[in-house]
């Protein structure tokens, strides 16, 4: 996704020849194949933007750090590290009017931070009934909403699901579309665990709202995540996120500390089925055996400021810096 093309395409841009160096890029040997790429020669439009920009902004502080590493930089980590002094990460906000459980037209029952226990219980019962799952308020409801893609960790979830079901009496509802093999995997999950799992292969906005409102726990096993929005929607609706500690997820999902009674969810660093299963176990154990602590987690998530206001102020600061500094390229 870096806008990489053969060197001959530079002529189509109508730029002076002395600007070629801004776009010039050479693939590392292990990525070279065929034609002009045999020597790794190319023009890279993203590289040109990074080279010439007055300021560089990503969608979270965590991701701003990760793209300076070989794992997250995809060949541009050295360049990004060299421009670290103008690189900032600003966490995205969400539309708090569209995602508001007290006025959401998609919900069967509306609720807020004062009555979320009763409201979410009714939303959960309605969803269980709609999907043909056992209607039981005491069974934790887990949700996964996202593109069925290795980046989102859908394959990790499929690997972890049997162990999660074996160790816990839970229900899991998945919503998403994408890779055909992963879509088939979701269908297998539902057929193998008829009384525990449901998979909606496709996407439906009203259902995503109802699922978020009904869920006790939302799973985000992404391998990498520049920002992530579903964890923000989840917290707003009183669903506690369990997420891989990467990118914007590590900035927004604060690990629960039972001694200090702080945090908004659980994260894990071992990006595989074992890591996800362990973190889910912690969340379920807290919900079942330390319910009051879990309720406080929900409250902290629902009252967290997820609006664009704070992000907008940070962007204004970036614009001010850009205007005050002399142009980087002339």
């Amino acid at each position: 996704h870096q806008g990489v093309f053969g060197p001959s395409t530079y002529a189509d841009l109508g730029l002076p020849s002395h600007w070629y160096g801004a776009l010039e890029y050479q693939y590392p040997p292990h990525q070279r194949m065929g034609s002009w790429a045999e020597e790794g020669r190319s023009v890279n439009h993203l590289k040109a933007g990074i080279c010439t920009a007055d300021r560089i902004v990503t969608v979270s502080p965590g991701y701003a750090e990760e793209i300076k590493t070989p794992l997250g930089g995809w060949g541009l980590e050295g360049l990004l590290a060299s421009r670290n002094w103008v690189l900032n990460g600003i966490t995205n906000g969400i539309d708090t009017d569209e995602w508001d459980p007290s006025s959401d037209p998609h919900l069967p029952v509306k609720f807020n931070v004062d009555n979320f226990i009763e409201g979410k219980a009714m939303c959960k019962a309605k969803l269980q009934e709609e999907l043909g799952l056992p209607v039981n308020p005491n069974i934790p409801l887990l949700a996964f909403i996202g593109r069925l893609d290795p980046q989102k960790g859908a394959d990790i979830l499929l690997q972890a699901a049997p162990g999660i079901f074996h160790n816990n009496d839970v229900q899991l509802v998945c919503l998403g579309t994408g890779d055909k093999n992963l879509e088939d995997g979701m269908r297998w999950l539902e057929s193998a665990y008829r009384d525990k799992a449901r998979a909606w292969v496709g996407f439906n906005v009203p259902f995503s709202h109802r699922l978020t409102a009904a869920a006790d726990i939302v799973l985000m096993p992404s391998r990498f995540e520049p920002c992530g929005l579903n964890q923000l929607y989840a917290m707003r609706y009183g669903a506690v996120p369990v997420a891989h500690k990467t990118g914007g997820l590590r900035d927004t999902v604060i690990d629960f500390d039972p001694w200090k009674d702080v945090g908004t969810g659980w994260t894990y660093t071992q990006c595989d089925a074992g890591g996800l299963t362990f973190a889910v176990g912690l969340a379920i154990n807290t919900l079942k055996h330390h319910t009051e602590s879990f309720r406080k987690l929900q409250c902290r998530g629902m009252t967290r400021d997820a609006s664009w206001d704070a992000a907008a102020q940070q962007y204004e600061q970036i614009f001010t810096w850009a205007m005050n500094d002399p142009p980087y390229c002339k």
Side-chain angles (χ1 to χ4, degrees):
H1 305 295
Q2 296 180 10
V4 180
F5 301 95
S8 62
T9 61
Y10 180 79
D12 300 332
L13 300 177
L15 294 173
S17 59
H18 64 269
W19 275 94
Y20 181 78
L23 285 90
E24 185 178 21
Y25 181 72
Q26 187 166 27
Y27 274 107
H30 68 279
Q31 293 181 353
R32 301 175 191 176
M33 56 183 181
S35 187
W36 47 268
E38 289 179 1
E39 299 176 3
R41 294 177 295 108
S42 64
V43 291
N44 185 319
H45 291 71
L46 180 59
K47 180 246 183 180
I50 296 170
C51 282
T52 59
D54 291 301
R55 291 279 162 177
I56 304 167
V57 183
T58 71
V59 291
S60 70
Y63 192 61
E65 293 300 315
E66 289 178 5
I67 60 176
K68 293 182 291 185
T69 69
L71 187 61
W74 292 89
L76 299 179
E77 60 274 6
L79 176 60
L80 287 161
S82 73
R83 302 221 61 204
N84 182 58
W85 61 283
V86 296
L87 174 61
N88 295 92
I90 300 176
T91 304
N92 282 338
I94 62 173
D95 186 334
T96 53
D97 292 326
E98 179 182 359
W99 289 91
D100 184 350
S102 67
S103 60
D104 192 330
H106 304 304
L107 303 188
V109 177
K110 297 172 177 57
F111 58 89
N112 56 38
V113 71
D114 296 320
N115 63 356
F116 75 90
I117 297 176
E118 298 81 6
K120 283 186 67 68
M122 288 187 277
C123 288
K124 181 177 178 178
K126 290 285 188 181
L127 190 80
Q128 289 171 326
E129 182 180 1
E130 176 186 348
L131 298 178
L133 289 167
V135 179
N136 187 335
N138 298 317
I139 297 179
L141 179 61
L142 316 183
F144 171 86
I145 304 171
R147 190 173 68 255
L148 301 184
D149 183 272
Q151 184 242 317
K152 295 294 183 180
D155 57 321
I156 295 174
L157 175 59
L158 288 171
Q159 294 168 25
I164 292 173
F165 289 141
H166 181 266
N167 296 327
N168 309 278
D169 183 16
V170 298
Q171 296 171 347
L172 170 63
V173 180
C174 303
L175 171 65
T177 184
D179 181 87
K180 184 181 183 303
N181 290 330
L182 293 174
E183 289 183 350
D184 291 341
M186 290 297 171
R187 295 185 181 99
W188 162 82
L189 184 68
E190 179 172 329
S191 65
Y193 300 93
R194 288 296 304 168
D195 61 339
K196 293 178 177 292
R198 291 292 182 271
W200 184 319
V201 176
F203 197 75
N204 182 285
V205 170
F207 184 74
S208 71
H209 283 242
R210 297 201 303 276
L211 178 53
T212 305
D216 297 300
I217 298 165
V218 168
L219 309 179
M220 296 198 66
S222 303
R223 285 182 167 84
F224 64 94
E225 192 66 72
C227 179
L229 295 176
N230 283 332
Q231 81 277 14
L232 303 180
Y233 301 149
M235 288 187 281
R236 179 100 165 137
Y237 280 55
V240 178
V242 171
H244 177 220
K245 198 180 188 76
T246 184
L249 297 176
R250 71 173 180 174
D251 294 320
T252 54
V253 181
I254 309 304
D255 281 308
F256 173 54
D257 185 336
W259 308 113
K260 297 180 180 178
D261 205 19
V262 297
T264 55
W266 284 268
T267 65
Y268 59 95
T269 56
Q270 183 179 325
C271 187
D272 57 20
L276 175 60
T277 301
F278 180 76
V280 168
L282 291 176
I284 294 171
N285 180 69
T286 304
L287 172 59
K288 286 190 170 184
H289 303 294
H290 305 278
T291 306
E292 185 60 30
S293 292
F294 195 87
R295 298 304 181 208
K296 290 180 180 179
L297 273 162
Q298 293 174 291
C299 284
R300 286 192 290 271
M302 292 186 73
T303 56
R304 177 188 180 277
D305 182 9
S307 72
W308 275 101
D309 294 344
Q313 293 177 11
Q314 294 177 69
Y315 274 108
E316 287 181 349
Q317 179 64 74
I318 297 291
F319 297 150
T320 299
W321 288 337
M323 293 174 65
N324 289 341
D325 293 339
Y328 185 66
C329 286
K330 297 181 181 179

